[in-house]
Amino acid sequence: ATRAPGATHAPRRPPRRAIMGKKGRAARARERSSAAQAAAAHLLPDDTDDESCRSLASASVAASEDWGPLGDADAAAAPRLQLSEALGVALSRASGRPQRLSALASALAALTSPLAPEEVAEAGPAEALAGLCAAARRRGGDEARALLRVAAVVCVATGGDREDAFEAVQAGMKELLRSPTSPPALRALAVSLLAVACFVCASEGSATEATYALVSSLLVHAPEGGEGGDGVVVAAAAAEAWALLSTVMDVDVVLEVSSGGGVFDALVQLLERRVDADACVAAGECVALLHEFAGGDLEAAAGGTEAAEAARGLVDELASDSTRRMTKRRRREQRAAFRGIQSSLSS
């Protein structure tokens, strides 16, 4: 065979300067990473020793464009929190590892606790929440539940009057709740996160009213859906969410929804079924809250004497329940909770 002019049998070796360039770039990347870790210390409380928290802060600084060039001590001393970018890096590292995602929630809480709401707002919480909700829908299972817990921490850190943050959560959680493939435990967390985001971040009364109506509907209809205790798991979360949002609603609206909207009957149904201890306690606490809102007139909250007496009787039974379907510790906890509810209803 004829060889083309200038051709060689073996590929040419790259110039030495190209090899050195790769090593140099790697060295510069390591140097920049070390500088980012040093700058991240300024975002953290002095006593922080959590590795996940330090990693998240470091990722935040590395993602920031305004922490200054390498070696600029003044700019590096005051990095801004870049929430969305940092969470993106942290989530990619924790992919397939729910334990790391659970640790991320506590790390994020430690990272944001010393910051003012304005500082967190500058970090882009709405974008971060949208990313977390989208990741939860994609991943599912334990990872999705851990991601929603991280999102709840972001909501609390964001503070009030952040309608964009609430809307990001609302859009993501409504998709989860509408999906027929979402498991009950994930739907329950979606309800809880939606209520927390509304309670903390929503600034418009119409948004709160719409969320309250949705949660009330879930409380009334969730026990009917699912087999066994599946629907009750969602109903327990809906009862806790309903109690939380009731504290920011007009009392007359709460009592009207309770007596005329089927909420009180749903609470009595949860107490009767006793499928889930958490659901029983959540329902009992809602009954005690309604008793307080009605000024001690439980019949007004229940829409009649019969329903009110049924609720009181079930609370009395659960305050001395000795069933063996749960552990001793859980029985003690349930009895203690219902004795407190019993005391509230008798005052």
Side-chain angles (χ1 to χ4, degrees):
T2 306
R3 193 172 63 199
T8 60
H9 290 289
R12 293 181 62 189
R13 189 179 178 196
R16 182 172 177 78
R17 63 177 178 274
I19 300 174
M20 294 304 292
K22 289 180 181 179
K23 291 181 178 178
R25 285 193 295 273
R28 283 194 294 275
R30 286 194 298 271
E31 192 177 352
R32 186 169 179 83
S33 176
S34 298
Q37 291 176 17
H42 295 274
L43 283 173
L44 300 172
D46 293 336
D47 58 349
T48 301
D49 60 356
D50 185 275
E51 182 63 33
S52 298
C53 189
R54 289 201 301 271
S55 174
L56 182 61
S58 174
S60 173
V61 173
S64 174
E65 297 178 356
D66 66 349
W67 71 284
L70 197 62
D72 187 343
D74 292 335
R80 281 180 54 207
L81 175 66
Q82 299 292 312
L83 199 56
S84 184
E85 293 87 343
L87 283 172
V89 173
L91 294 181
S92 65
R93 291 173 180 168
S95 180
R97 300 175 181 176
Q99 298 86 352
R100 282 197 174 187
L101 289 173
S102 298
L104 182 61
S106 59
L108 186 63
L111 181 60
T112 55
S113 60
L115 301 178
E118 296 78 18
E119 294 176 281
V120 179
E122 290 176 1
E127 294 82 0
L129 286 166
L132 286 166
C133 293
R137 292 197 304 274
R138 287 195 307 271
R139 297 187 183 187
D142 291 340
E143 285 189 80
R145 290 192 285 275
L147 285 166
L148 295 190
R149 293 188 183 98
V150 175
V153 174
V154 175
C155 287
V156 173
T158 300
D161 296 330
R162 292 289 307 191
E163 202 68 29
D164 56 342
F166 167 67
E167 288 172 359
V169 173
Q170 183 185 44
M173 294 307 95
K174 280 190 173 181
E175 282 195 36
L176 270 178
L177 290 170
R178 282 196 295 262
S179 172
T181 59
S182 297
L186 187 57
R187 286 167 56 83
L189 272 174
V191 174
S192 300
L193 176 58
L194 182 60
V196 168
C198 181
F199 183 80
V200 176
C201 302
S203 56
E204 296 182 6
S206 57
T208 304
E209 290 169 6
T211 305
Y212 189 66
L214 173 62
V215 170
S216 299
S217 176
L218 285 169
L219 175 55
V220 171
H221 299 294
E224 301 168 3
E227 298 179 1
D230 286 355
V232 176
V233 172
V234 179
E240 293 176 351
W242 188 84
L244 177 66
L245 294 179
S246 291
T247 61
V248 295
M249 296 293 294
D250 184 80
V251 171
D252 292 336
V253 172
V254 174
L255 294 178
E256 181 181 349
V257 170
S258 170
S259 58
V263 166
F264 197 91
D265 291 338
L267 296 174
V268 172
Q269 185 181 359
L270 284 174
L271 292 171
E272 285 176 339
R273 290 183 67 175
R274 304 186 193 186
V275 175
D276 182 84
D278 291 331
C280 281
V281 172
E285 288 173 346
C286 286
V287 170
L289 182 67
L290 286 168
H291 178 265
E292 181 181 344
F293 279 4
D297 184 5
L298 190 60
E299 285 72 13
T305 304
E306 185 177 348
E309 289 304 316
R312 284 196 181 95
L314 289 166
V315 168
D316 290 342
E317 288 179 23
L318 288 163
S320 57
D321 191 10
S322 59
T323 180
R324 296 185 178 277
R325 70 179 184 279
M326 61 181 75
T327 63
K328 279 186 177 181
R329 180 179 177 182
R330 199 70 186 92
R331 278 201 303 272
R332 284 196 299 268
E333 291 173 351
Q334 179 177 287
R335 284 199 295 263
F338 275 97
R339 282 168 188 155
I341 296 167
Q342 192 179 40
S343 176
S344 299
L345 295 181
S346 60
S347 59

